Amino acid sequence: MSYAIIGFGKIGQALAKAFARKNIEVAIASRRPPEALAPQARAIGPKVVAKSLRDALEADTIILAVPFGEHREVAKALPNWKGKTVIDAMNALIPLEEMDGLLSSAFVAKAFTGAKFVKGFNHLIAATLAADPIVEGGHRVVFLSGDDEDAIAPVATLAKQLGFAPVRLGKLNEGGALVHARGRTWGQLIFQDLFKKEQ
Ligand SMILES: NC(=O)c1ccc[n+]([C@@H]2O[C@H](COP(=O)([O-])OP(=O)(O)OC[C@H]3O[C@@H](n4cnc5c(N)ncnc54)[C@H](OP(=O)(O)O)[C@@H]3O)[C@@H](O)[C@H]2O)c1
């Protein structure tokens, strides 16, 4: 598997730290050229590699960590997303009418035609996501949801490799709705900092 994080702000860097902690290679990209991102990437870890957006999108698994409104720009960078897994770590605080009445990930998924689409890593604040997920003898929980069960499995494996305890919430409009913003209201599981004790 190869991984890329698109967006290298608070959430992108928090996720890059999680990959670096486990020595898993990850590409990072934003609108800025790789040379501009490279010093910060290297400071996080030798396997955090700054790339152009185009090169980063060669990864199999792509995490969206850009402001919600920018997802369309990222989506346009590939003619189609077949064969890619896209993990939506974004939150959207915009009126539901602007998303055709859909939950934000269902709305975003429409732009990434053909991708295996999973909502995840969006419910923790950046500082918590950046910290070691092993806490009090347990693992910090990340919630995963999506309409394609097969797409969630490899993302759950990644979450475990990064040290998190993945908790599946089911389809986006069922359990997944708990980690979405609806208009100006947060889903009940957003910003819940939970951890799962070893059994
Ligand atoms: N901050 C949190 O605690 C938190 C928690 C959960 C979820 N989230 C969600 O995570 C997402 C990112 O939030 P953030 O706080 O990390 O924002 P941020 O610090 O402003 O970072 C956004 C990043 O996206 C890049 N970017 C913007 N437009 C882009 C484009 N078209 N193509 C590629 N890269 C682009 C920016 O870099 P350039 O300007 O160089 O392009 C920047 O690196 C948001 O959707 C937010 O709702 C944030």
Side-chain angles (χ1 to χ4, degrees), residues 21-96:
R21 196 174 291 118
K22 298 294 180 181
N23 210 26
I24 301 173
E25 180 158 335
V26 66
I28 58 101
S30 81
R31 291 170 298 192
R32 280 174 288 158
E35 308 80 72
L37 304 175
Q40 217 166 350
R42 270 198 301 268
I44 294 176
K47 289 199 168 177
V48 179
V49 184
K51 293 190 176 175
S52 66
L53 182 62
R54 179 188 288 247
D55 288 349
L57 293 181
E58 284 177 11
D60 316 314
T61 301
I62 290 149
I63 309 180
L64 300 176
V66 297
F68 182 78
E70 292 293 326
H71 74 268
R72 280 198 196 83
E73 288 306 311
V74 179
K76 278 196 259 171
L78 285 183
N80 94 64
W81 288 77
K82 224 166 170 211
K84 305 283 187 192
T85 293
V86 173
I87 305 173
D88 176 9
M90 302 180 297
N91 286 322
L93 264 185
I94 63 169
L96 285 183

Side-chain angles (χ1 to χ4, degrees), residues 92-97 99 102-104 180-186:
L93 264 185
I94 63 169
L96 285 183
E97 310 82 72
M99 296 188 285
L102 297 170
L103 289 171
S104 64
H180 279 258
R182 289 171 186 267
R184 300 225 149 254
T185 313
W186 294 113

